[in-house]
Amino acid sequence: NVTSSGNQTYTGAVTLSGGDRGLTAPFVDFQSTLAGGTNDLTVTGNATFGAEASGLVDLTVTGTSSVAANVTGTGAQAFDGRVTLTGDATFTGTTGTFSGGLEGGSNALGLDFSAVVTIDGSDTFSNISTLTSTGPTRLNGTINTTGLQRYASAVTLLGGTDLTASNVTFGSTVSGGASPLTVTGDLFVDGAVTNLGGLDVTGNTDLGADITTVSGGQTYNGTVLLTGGGTRTLTGSGQTVGFLGNLDGGSQALHVAANLNLQADLGNLSSFQGQSTSTLNGNVTTSAGQQFVGDVTLGGDAVLTSSSNDVVRIDSTVTGGGNDLTIAGQALLKAAVSGVADLSVSHAATIEDTVSTTNNQTYSGPVTIAVTGGQFTGNVVAFGSTVDGGTRNFNVIGNASI
């Protein structure tokens, strides 16, 4: 071990031999390579690694660290102070802990820890070109890159996390720890995301797995693409899932187990189910059926299309807000419809409550009235095919075309 009250500078190559070593000084400067000899190194103070460090077991730096090249060990690496990259660098070991933030200097950062690496961005990880982590990763705070961020293995959030990048890829699962996640950039999700305290994505999103939030809801500001096959489920009990950009379903099914705020179009879906309330200011297109379990509010004109003329089922009330509703397919309306301007149904319709429009209603296919005293209120109510009342009465308040 070497202890000094002044700085320590090692101009040539350094080799550790004979055992673990501890260097104590205000600054320890390795200007050339460091060969660990399968020993531990502890630097009590600030450290500069001017070239590659390899062959270490455990590495601990209590102060700040300046790193110009790769740091490779077979054990734990702990950087208690801020790390500054002066060149591209990959850190390799079993566990890694970065507690004091990192300044990337526009360099690439690689993290190759087999057990887990902890990135505490409470002091900010910033000015990194790209960040790649191959092993399990714990995240907290703010992490900024100008290029991509890729997390190949399982990710755990230790607190509120803000990721800024051209794109962020989660190659495996994400466990949110009830913490919020903000992604400024595009997001690629390849593993299930659970227990988030909210999700906000400013860019485009590729959803290859399900997402569950326990608070805070989910907001997708850019376009969304469903991938991975099967049914994609977005869950947020008592929360809102908002689509501010269009969604391409990739011929998959989408279930929203939360309140839906649709401000764009959902298209190319096999089927759709909204399990809570829905605010529609856009269109929904599926090859098969659609179901809206909770109350539906129109925030603008809406077209609900089933290209196979399957059933569009609305289980609760529809409040139109003076907007048009077009159902291109069969319709099953199980509760009252009110405040719609124009209502149009292209195929068979089953009506189980009153329907009120401020303008016209057009039913091009057969209509089945499945409620006693069914009432249609509008300017012109037009039936283009048969009406089956099942021995029930029904009323038209307005002009009728039968």
Side-chain angles (χ1 to χ4, degrees):
N1 299 332
V2 180
T3 300
S4 62
S5 58
N7 298 333
Q8 298 177 29
T9 301
Y10 301 92
T11 305
V14 172
T15 300
L16 305 185
S17 62
D20 300 336
R21 293 290 173 258
L23 305 179
T24 301
F27 284 90
V28 176
D29 184 2
F30 299 101
Q31 297 185 355
S32 186
T33 58
L34 169 64
T38 65
N39 296 296
D40 297 346
L41 174 62
T42 300
V43 176
T44 304
N46 304 306
T48 298
F49 298 91
E52 184 176 6
S54 62
L56 296 164
V57 181
D58 293 341
L59 171 64
T60 301
V61 180
T62 65
T64 63
S65 299
S66 176
V67 179
N70 297 339
V71 179
T72 303
T74 58
Q77 296 182 21
F79 298 89
D80 297 338
R82 190 165 184 78
V83 174
T84 299
L85 301 185
T86 57
D88 295 343
T90 296
F91 298 80
T92 302
T94 54
T95 63
T97 303
F98 296 82
S99 302
L102 185 143
E103 162 58 43
S106 299
N107 296 294
L109 172 62
L111 302 171
D112 187 8
F113 292 95
S114 58
V116 67
V117 60
T118 301
I119 303 174
D120 188 350
S122 56
D123 286 324
T124 307
F125 272 55
S126 61
N127 199 25
I128 304 164
S129 60
T130 62
L131 187 160
T132 302
S133 180
T134 60
T137 306
R138 297 172 179 169
L139 299 176
N140 178 49
T142 301
I143 302 167
N144 296 332
T145 59
T146 55
L148 62 83
Q149 295 181 32
R150 176 170 178 79
Y151 304 93
S153 298
V155 169
T156 301
L157 302 188
L158 300 179
T161 302
D162 296 325
L163 305 178
T164 297
S166 59
N167 62 78
V168 174
T169 298
F170 295 116
S172 186
T173 59
V174 177
S175 179
S179 299
L181 173 63
T182 299
V183 176
T184 303
D186 296 339
L187 173 63
F188 293 81
V189 176
D190 294 327
V193 179
T194 59
N195 200 28
L196 280 179
L199 173 65
D200 192 326
V201 183
T202 67
N204 302 323
T205 303
D206 185 306
L207 284 179
D210 299 339
I211 295 181
T212 301
T213 52
V214 295
S215 63
Q218 303 172 33
T219 302
Y220 303 93
N221 291 277
T223 60
V224 174
L225 173 65
L226 302 189
T227 58
T231 298
R232 193 65 55 244
T233 301
L234 305 178
T235 302
S237 178
Q239 306 155 54
T240 298
V241 172
F243 295 102
L244 278 62
N246 294 333
L247 179 142
D248 181 342
S251 299
Q252 297 176 212
L254 174 63
H255 291 178
V256 177
N259 300 315
L260 172 65
N261 177 22
L262 180 61
Q263 298 296 320
D265 295 337
L266 306 182
N268 194 25
L269 290 165
S270 61
S271 63
F272 173 78
Q273 185 181 76
Q275 298 177 9
S276 190
T277 66
S278 297
T279 297
L280 302 181
N281 190 19
N283 306 321
V284 180
T285 302
T286 57
S287 58
Q290 302 176 26
Q291 182 180 15
F292 299 86
V293 176
D295 294 339
V296 173
T297 300
L298 301 186
D301 296 342
V303 180
L304 308 179
T305 301
S306 168
S307 61
S308 62
N309 299 319
D310 210 330
V311 175
V312 175
R313 171 174 172 159
I314 302 177
D315 291 345
S316 192
T317 61
V318 177
T319 302
N323 298 292
D324 296 342
L325 175 61
T326 300
I327 297 176
Q330 300 181 59
L332 173 56
L333 304 179
K334 296 183 70 65
V337 176
S338 63
V340 175
D342 285 308
L343 172 65
S344 176
V345 180
S346 67
H347 287 73
T350 299
I351 309 298
E352 297 188 6
D353 209 313
T354 59
V355 180
S356 176
T357 59
T358 57
N359 202 15
N360 301 327
Q361 299 177 34
T362 303
Y363 302 93
S364 299
V367 173
T368 299
I369 300 172
V371 59
T372 300
Q375 181 170 291
F376 300 81
T377 301
N379 181 32
V380 176
V381 179
F383 298 97
S385 185
T386 60
V387 178
D388 182 357
T391 73
R392 299 178 180 89
N393 298 327
F394 80 97
N395 298 319
V396 176
I397 300 177
N399 302 305
S401 173
I402 301 176

